[in-house]
């Protein structure tokens, strides 16, 4: 928000001589810019994600008290802004009466610009017990700057804590859940093993910590000051860090229990990862197929099969063998699954490549068209009517949906021919037809024979 100007005299009337026309116009220009900046700042504060979260949360403690004050401050800022706007409107009205204001008008403008004419309600923001207060235009801007900084600091500080801690707590809780499941699988349970008791304590601490962070984020701010300004402080992660260290200690203990099972578990995890990547690739291929059918006309797009249920069932069976320590059955099953999972991932990648081939062809045609045009441009013939017409026709085809690849390729070929005819054969060339520009490479200034329709270079062909 804008900076404040000089304060008025104690009598409420402006100090100093009557302003001349240039001084009035400069003051109006500055106040207009300040008015716009104030409005922009208040609207940004109104739309701030942190403010919306504070309004919707069930707050407690420090945050509840500071937000109550900040909320009242924001309401008063709008009241101050309205009063400021009203007086500024009066100044503009007086100034627009005449292009060259007389002495009486200049005196009136001086009083409006420097006098205590902005009346605002008294509030906790000012610490005044009076029902209303009077300020100069510059004085009310100074007061708004102060209130805006206080309100914004509460909003930004709370938003910073909410952005930093809950997500990290959730990630740690998810890791805790995975560790608990692993612990149960190897017999590490509460009441039976110290690490099982530790897992229960960490679970309780994370649950309490998350609830407290959500309801009272400002209580988790530490540093030289409660301000969110640079150097003022940062989110307090001490309790989170302590829980994370405790979980790491438990994890190391469980790893010692795992021992000989480590290799089998590692292989199962890799299998899950490979099958997961295959499933995601197939999902991507199905989505890409819909995109191709929507963007490319009359294109033969192969169907995409779903994930292999047999492999997933056998993976579940392998996990069951590991839980029951049936290593003699697990080992040969893992060897078979590892090979078939890699084949499944390869099949998924091939499906993705096949269905996206038309998009790759379209991208190659676009690149070739732009390369030809750049070549023509370097010879100063980009505005040739025939070239412009054929370029626009090809571009419309390539940048429209659905795109007819065959027609677009022919349009690119026609532009290629026109470019070759316009530029003439390369010096020393002996061919009967004009050589054509090579898209995306080759010697600078070099030319290739034209690529005819049906001979599109690029993944998948036409």
């Amino acid at each position: 928000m804008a900076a404040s100007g000089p304060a008025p005299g104690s009598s409420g009337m402006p100090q100093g001589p009557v302003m001349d026309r240039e001084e009035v116009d400069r003051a109006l220009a500055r106040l207009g810019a300040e008015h716009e900046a104030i409005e922009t700042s208040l609207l940004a504060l109104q739309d701030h994600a942190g403010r919306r979260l504070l309004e919707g949360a069930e707050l407690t403690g420090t945050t509840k008290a500071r937000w109550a004050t900040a909320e009242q401050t924001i309401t008063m800022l709008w009241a101050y802004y309205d009063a400021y706007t009203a007086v500024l409107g009066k100044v503009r009205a007086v100034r627009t009466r005449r292009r060259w204001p007389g002495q009486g008008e200049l005196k009136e403008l001086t009083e409006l610009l420097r006098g205590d004419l902005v009346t605002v309600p008294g509030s906790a923001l000012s610490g005044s017990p009076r029902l209303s207060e009077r300020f100069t235009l510059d004085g009310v801007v100074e007061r708004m700057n102060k209130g805006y900084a206080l309100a914004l600091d509460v909003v930004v500080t709370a938003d910073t804590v909410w952005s930093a801690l809950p997500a990290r707590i959730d990630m740690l809780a998810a890791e805790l859940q995975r560790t608990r499941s692993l612990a149960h699988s190897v017999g590490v349970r509460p009441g039976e093993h110290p690490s099982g008791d530790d897992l229960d304590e960490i679970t309780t601490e994370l649950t309490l910590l998350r609830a407290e962070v959500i309801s009272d984020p400002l209580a988790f701010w530490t540093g030289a000051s409660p301000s969110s300004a640079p150097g003022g402080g940062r989110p307090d992660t001490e309790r989170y860090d302590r829980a994370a260290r405790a979980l790491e200690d438990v994890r190391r203990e469980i790893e010692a229990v795992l021992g000989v099972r480590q290799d089998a578990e590692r292989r199962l995890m890799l299998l899950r990862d490979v099958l997961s990547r295959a499933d995601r690739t197939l999902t991507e291929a199905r989505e890409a197929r819909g995109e191709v059918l929507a963007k490319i006309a009359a294109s033969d797009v192969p169907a995409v099969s779903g994930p292999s249920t047999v492999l997933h069932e056998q993976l579940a069976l392998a996990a069951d063998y590991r839980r029951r320590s049936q290593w003699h059955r697990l080992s040969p099953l893992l060897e078979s699954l590892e090979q078939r999972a890699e084949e499944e991932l390869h099949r998924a990648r091939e499906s993705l490549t096949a269905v996206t081939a038309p998009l790759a062809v379209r991208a190659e045609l676009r690149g070739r068209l732009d390369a030809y045009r750049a070549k023509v441009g370097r010879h100063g013939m980009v505005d040739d009517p025939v070239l412009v017409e054929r370029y626009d026709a090809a571009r419309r085809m390539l940048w429209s949906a659905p795109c007819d690849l065959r027609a677009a390729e022919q349009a690119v070929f026609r532009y290629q021919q026109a470019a070759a005819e316009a530029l003439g054969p390369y010096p020393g060339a002996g061919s009967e037809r004009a050589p054509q520009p090579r898209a995306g490479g080759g010697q600078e200034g070099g030319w290739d024979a034209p690529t005819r329709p049906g001979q599109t270079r690029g993944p998948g062909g036409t």
Side-chain angles (χ1 to χ4, degrees), residues 39 51 81 85 131 177 206 218 229 236 245 252 255 297 304 311 346 372 392 414 417 428 433:
E39 181 181 32
R51 186 196 65 79
Y81 171 76
T85 301
L131 295 178
Q177 186 58 39
L206 288 182
L218 298 187
D236 184 359
R245 289 193 296 269
R252 283 196 294 267
E255 287 174 355
V304 180
L311 288 179
H346 181 69
Y372 295 154
D392 290 342
R414 287 193 295 271
Q417 286 182 315
R433 65 184 177 191

Side-chain angles (χ1 to χ4, degrees), residues 88-360:
L88 182 59
K90 292 180 181 178
V91 177
R92 287 170 171 167
V94 174
R95 179 62 188 89
T96 55
R97 288 177 190 169
R98 288 194 299 175
R99 180 178 179 183
W100 301 96
Q103 189 63 24
E105 289 168 329
L106 289 174
K107 182 178 180 182
E108 183 179 359
L109 286 168
T110 301
E111 292 175 355
L112 288 170
L113 290 170
R114 294 180 175 174
D116 296 338
L117 300 180
V118 183
T119 303
V120 297
S123 67
L125 175 61
S126 63
S128 172
R130 292 178 293 178
L131 295 178
S132 64
E133 297 178 273
R134 296 169 65 89
F135 294 93
T136 62
L137 287 169
D138 289 333
V140 78
V141 169
E142 182 179 2
R143 182 58 55 86
M144 281 192 286
N145 284 338
K146 178 182 177 182
Y148 177 80
L150 293 174
L152 182 64
D153 189 64
V154 173
V155 170
V156 172
T157 301
D159 187 51
T160 301
V161 173
W162 277 332
S163 299
L165 275 174
R168 297 175 68 183
I169 294 171
D170 290 343
M171 291 178 64
L172 189 61
E175 181 64 26
L176 172 64
Q177 186 58 39
R178 289 190 292 270
T179 303
R180 180 186 293 278
S181 299
L182 183 60
H184 282 196
S185 70
V186 296
V188 177
R189 296 181 175 85
E192 300 179 8
H193 194 284
S195 293
D197 298 330
D198 292 341
L199 285 174
D200 271 1
E201 293 177 4
I202 297 171
T203 301
T204 301
E205 169 64 4
L206 288 182
T207 302
L208 291 174
L209 178 60
R210 193 183 194 285
E212 292 175 16
V213 169
I214 294 299
S215 65
D216 191 10
L218 298 187
F220 291 86
W221 189 260
T222 184
S225 72
S227 172
S228 61
R234 58 176 179 80
D236 184 359
T237 62
E238 181 180 354
R239 287 174 60 183
Y240 166 84
D241 294 337
R242 189 163 55 244
R245 289 193 296 269
L247 180 59
E248 182 62 28
D249 292 340
V250 172
R251 188 184 296 110
R252 283 196 294 267
E253 179 68 21
I254 295 173
E255 287 174 355
V257 177
L258 285 171
V260 295
R261 308 182 187 188
Q262 184 175 7
D263 184 60
E265 178 63 15
R266 178 187 61 81
R267 293 171 71 184
L268 277 172
M269 290 177 62
L270 289 175
L271 269 173
R272 293 189 187 98
D273 180 64
V274 171
L275 287 179
S276 176
R277 281 186 286 155
D279 292 346
R280 289 197 301 270
T281 303
L282 287 173
T283 299
E284 184 180 354
R286 286 193 294 272
E287 294 173 353
R289 186 174 188 272
E291 181 183 359
V292 171
L293 292 175
K295 292 184 176 180
I296 307 297
S299 180
D300 185 14
V301 184
V304 180
S305 63
S308 172
T309 56
V310 174
L311 288 179
H312 284 280
E313 289 172 357
Q314 291 187 341
L315 180 61
L317 180 61
D320 185 63
Y321 285 163
R322 186 197 62 80
R323 283 192 297 271
R324 292 187 288 170
S325 300
Q326 295 181 351
W327 311 113
H328 62 291
R329 294 182 179 178
L330 178 60
S331 182
L333 180 58
L334 283 178
E335 291 179 4
S336 173
L337 276 175
E338 285 167 348
Q339 179 180 355
R340 295 173 63 188
E342 289 293 340
E343 292 173 354
E344 176 72 3
L345 179 58
H346 181 69
R347 180 180 69 86
R349 287 171 173 168
E350 286 184 336
S351 295
L352 179 59
T353 300
V355 299
T356 56
L359 292 179

